[in-house]
Amino acid sequence: MPRYVLAIDQGTTSSRALLFGDDGHVVATAQKELTQHYPRDGWVEHDAEDIWRDTIAVCREAIGKAGAAARDVAAIGIANQRETTVLWERSTGQPVHRAIVWQDRRTAEQCRALQRDGAEATIAAKTGLLLDPYFSATKAAWLLDNVPDARARAERGELCFGTVDSFLLFRATRGKVHATDAANASRTLLYNIRTQEWDDVLLDLFHVPRAILPEVRDNAGPFGMADAEFLGAPVPIAGIAGDQQAAMVGQGCFAPGMIKSTYGTGCFALMHTGSEARASHNKLLTTIAYRLGGETSYALEGSIFIAGAAIQWLRDGLKVIAGAAASADIAASRAPTELFLVPAFTGLGAPHWMPEARGALFGITRDTSGGDLVRASLEAVCYQTRDLLGAFAADSGMTPAAMRVDGGMARNDWMLQFLADMLGLAVERPALNEATAFGAARLAAAGTGLCATPGDFGAAWKLDRRFTPTMDSRQRDRLYAGWKRAVEAVKNYTKAAT
Ligand code: ADP
């Protein structure tokens, strides 16, 4: 009897495979770094062939490390970098161009033109998203317009569009299945999250022909069989979700009001809002959390562009710390200061969406030290999370009981305590820090019938540590007011220049 569930976590910087035992424990892992291509300023590409080759290689390696074989694997789940856009030939599975990565800004002008045409309100109402190059639609249109002959071939049904999940599924099934899941579809700007269909008005606005689109399915269920050629035996692919949605499932956020926040290079926070898509008035995204058994759960999403990246900057750029792990002790050793770092290195994310903003540091004195800057960088991540929490509360009307955290930065105890203090909310770190891969495994386990629902796979969500607020509320309010002044100053400085 197959005993394992294989999770693929195809991320922006690496492709990973994690083999889970049927009790939900990690048995083996494998990882390969992914080459980034920067052909021009603001352009970011991946070679989709690299993604495919690495994914199969890490799957084989993880299975091998466990001393297992493909026939021991009950199902495969896929969690993928979201929005990254691939266009490939239906007959061969060959990409016609490198994949355009979510970070890529080449279609900023197309977005501005649609904005000038007044299309933004329609787009927001149908998709829950903002009109931004970040999402897939303008990337797909760019490929159709810039790859020779692509548009004509697309109209004839010779090309396929998909996010990375869809491409991997197509290749793994040797072209038998061209599908995606509802949550990945909800990131394309082409999918109507309310009617749950590719939307003709959107297809028309973005000039994307229907013939290239994948079929949209639930997040858990039989997607197709990975061909025996790849792993040595056929294995069903039974769960798919974008990485942040997979992390929600891995964190057990199945009820309205639950929040997970993943702290990696950037930070992505999602709040479950139940069966209704709630429009945001605070520049959050409304998105599909998951669709199971035909029932859709929605989420509000906010992102912070720079979280762990600020720590990388302190380490590699300023060289004030030797490693990320040292940041907790350094921050703890500093007396509280009112130094505010606004790390808008690549613009401000939610709830501001000001891509042209740049960073600033307020409150420098003669004795400001590198250590103070370390502390201010960690605090900045917490202040930004508080901004998101305020937006979640305003848009949803819900009061969360706690925030569940994961990702590399969630190892930092000092930061999590300051986060709890700043949010005035319990912060919970789970025993399993692999929320994204675990979520993919859970979806696959449910999708192949190993268990009734994703939440039934593996032990119940287990707490590693809960951080509860201890800061005096007057101090919290004073610090947060200082942060808000700093952000306002950055926004005003930016506006004055434009
Ligand atoms: P990603 O998936 O975006 O590559 P990870 O979840 O692996 O990110 O987290 C890596 C990030 O977390 C890095 O930016 C690193 O600087 C930061 N990081 C790792 N450990 C710590 C720590 N103890 N304190 C603060 N930041 C940390």
Side-chain angles (χ1 to χ4, degrees):
M1 274 300 283
R3 290 168 298 159
Y4 300 112
V5 176
L6 180 64
I8 294 167
D9 179 1
Q10 204 302 302
T12 312
T13 56
S14 71
S15 306
R16 305 170 68 217
L18 288 86
L19 198 64
F20 287 86
D22 53 13
D23 57 358
H25 282 91
V26 178
V27 179
T29 67
Q31 171 163 357
K32 277 195 191 302
E33 296 305 315
L34 181 61
T35 305
Q36 314 287 313
H37 298 273
Y38 304 104
R40 289 191 204 175
D41 184 34
W43 292 30
V44 190
E45 297 178 350
H46 289 159
D47 187 332
E49 282 298 337
D50 285 351
I51 291 179
W52 165 247
R53 206 184 39 246
D54 291 356
T55 299
I56 292 306
V58 292
C59 286
R60 285 186 185 146
E61 191 183 334
I63 294 170
K65 276 186 182 168
R71 63 176 178 280
D72 303 320
V73 180
I76 297 172
I78 301 175
N80 57 287
Q81 53 168 316
R82 303 177 303 171
E83 297 104 7
T84 296
T85 301
V86 194
L87 196 64
W88 67 89
E89 275 185 355
R90 193 179 294 279
S91 61
T92 63
Q94 294 301 314
V96 299
H97 190 275
R98 281 199 203 124
I100 304 185
V101 179
W102 56 275
Q103 296 150 323
D104 191 290
R105 309 297 300 173
R106 78 185 62 180
T107 56
E109 183 43 42
Q110 285 87 324
C111 290
R112 277 193 291 271
L114 282 163
Q115 231 155 19
R116 282 195 297 272
D117 294 347
E120 198 161 25
T122 306
I123 291 169
K126 287 174 181 284
T127 67
L129 306 176
L130 300 164
L131 185 47
D132 191 273
Y134 186 93
F135 305 104
S136 313
T138 54
K139 299 181 195 302
W142 188 93
L143 289 169
L144 292 170
D145 291 334
N146 288 275
V147 174
D149 220 19
R151 195 165 276 286
R153 298 186 67 196
E155 306 277 1
R156 292 198 298 269
E158 292 171 20
L159 301 182
C160 298
F161 152 87
T163 38
V164 169
D165 56 300
S166 196
F167 175 68
L168 291 175
L169 178 67
F170 188 92
R171 291 292 288 261
T173 60
R174 299 185 61 88
K176 288 198 181 72
V177 184
H178 182 208
T180 188
D181 67 277
N184 266 303
S186 78
R187 315 294 300 185
T188 58
L189 279 176
L190 301 170
Y191 192 66
N192 186 320
I193 59 170
R194 294 164 202 278
T195 62
Q196 304 266 334
E197 283 166 343
W198 298 119
D199 189 298
D200 284 325
V201 172
L202 298 170
L203 296 180
D204 207 39
L205 273 173
F206 289 106
H207 303 292
V208 173
R210 187 173 273 275
I212 65 172
L213 299 176
E215 180 195 330
V216 183
R217 302 191 185 168
D218 282 4
N219 289 85
F223 278 92
M225 278 287 174
D227 194 271
E229 174 190 343
F230 304 119
L231 300 177
V235 184
I237 298 172
I240 297 183
D243 49 12
Q244 301 308 322
Q245 275 86 347
M248 252 193 130
V249 172
Q251 284 272 32
C253 291
F254 296 119
M258 294 184 82
I259 302 181
K260 77 89 204 175
S261 190
T262 301
Y263 294 95
T265 309
C267 157
F268 292 90
L270 274 83
M271 181 193 222
H272 195 299
T273 58
S275 56
E276 223 182 291
R278 286 170 190 262
S280 173
H281 303 288
N282 294 282
K283 298 194 177 168
L284 297 174
L285 307 175
T286 307
T287 200
I288 292 179
Y290 47 78
R291 195 172 85 195
L292 299 169
E295 302 278 324
T296 303
S297 291
Y298 293 90
L300 286 166
E301 173 175 327
S303 50
I304 299 170
F305 299 150
I306 303 292
I311 302 301
Q312 288 164 1
W313 170 67
L314 295 171
R315 186 193 61 193
D316 306 334
L318 300 190
K319 304 197 187 324
V320 295
I321 48 173
S327 63
D329 284 346
I330 295 173
S333 74
R334 308 308 303 166
T337 59
E338 297 205 8
L339 187 67
F340 294 100
L341 173 72
V342 182
F345 303 161
T346 55
L348 283 166
H352 315 286
W353 282 93
M354 193 181 256
E356 61 282 15
R358 292 294 174 263
L361 184 61
F362 294 86
I364 307 169
T365 63
R366 179 67 182 78
D367 15 286
T368 297
S369 67
D372 293 326
L373 194 54
V374 172
R375 181 171 169 139
S377 300
L378 294 174
E379 288 175 347
V381 176
C382 304
Y383 291 131
Q384 293 182 92
T385 310
R386 163 94 184 241
D387 290 345
L388 293 182
L389 187 71
F392 282 146
D395 283 339
S396 71
M398 294 173 183
T399 315
M403 181 177 280
R404 293 185 170 179
V405 297
D406 55 85
M409 254 194 146
R411 286 192 286 266
N412 190 313
D413 290 357
W414 187 89
M415 188 191 95
L416 296 189
Q417 182 56 50
F418 191 83
L419 182 63
D421 284 337
M422 198 34 60
L423 301 179
L425 187 70
V427 169
E428 299 179 338
R429 179 173 61 200
L432 182 68
N433 199 20
E434 295 285 0
T436 304
F438 186 48
R442 282 184 143 183
L443 291 168
T448 202
L450 281 186
C451 51
T453 70
D456 298 331
F457 178 73
W461 185 90
K462 225 168 95 206
L463 185 73
D464 168 47
R465 189 163 164 194
R466 175 180 285 110
F467 299 83
T468 48
T470 55
M471 189 184 277
D472 168 77
S473 67
R474 282 210 319 270
Q475 190 190 354
R476 171 192 308 144
D477 292 346
R478 195 170 45 77
L479 286 173
Y480 187 55
W483 162 259
K484 287 185 94 154
R485 284 200 309 277
V487 173
E488 271 318 299
V490 165
K491 288 168 78 173
N492 289 333
Y493 176 84
T494 309
K495 280 182 210 148
T498 50

